[in-house]
Amino acid sequence: MTLDELVQEGEIAGLSPWEVEELTWGEVARAVRAHGERERRVAQRQAVIAWQQAGLIAQALTEGKLDEVYEVFPYWNEEEIRQRKVEKYRRMLERHVGKQT
């Protein structure tokens, strides 16, 4: 990455040009990565809202089943997908156990 590209990425991440010049390349790279992570999390929240709205519309129209949000939108990593699956199956087991008592 050239200095010009680093300055541009730093500005996209919210750093001013003089901040980019005062920080080390590693510090600017960390700020750029942190900005990317914040953007990914914002996209996750927006995807969940869109997914829930699509689910409500699909249920209203067809009484069908909707795919999982992480199957439709690419904003989840493997660990987050695994956590969502564990939570889903835990809720299913709790409902099943609750019906038997």
Side-chain angles (χ1 to χ4, degrees), residues 30-97:
R30 277 194 299 278
V32 168
R33 280 194 301 274
H35 174 73
E37 179 63 17
R38 281 190 302 274
E39 292 292 314
R40 186 182 73 85
R41 290 180 184 191
V42 167
Q44 278 184 335
R45 287 190 297 274
Q46 292 172 343
V48 167
I49 292 168
W51 178 71
Q52 289 171 337
Q53 289 174 337
L56 292 172
I57 292 168
Q59 286 177 346
L61 296 175
T62 66
E63 293 298 320
K65 185 175 180 283
L66 190 64
D67 291 335
E68 294 294 331
V69 66
Y70 51 81
E71 294 171 348
V72 180
F73 296 99
Y75 305 116
W76 281 263
N77 61 38
E78 292 299 319
E79 178 60 27
E80 292 166 332
I81 291 171
R82 190 173 17 264
Q83 289 173 353
R84 290 183 71 91
K85 286 180 179 179
V86 166
E87 181 62 24
K88 174 185 173 183
Y89 294 126
R90 185 185 63 73
R91 285 191 312 269
M92 288 171 59
L93 286 172
E94 287 175 351
R95 281 195 307 270
H96 180 69
V97 169

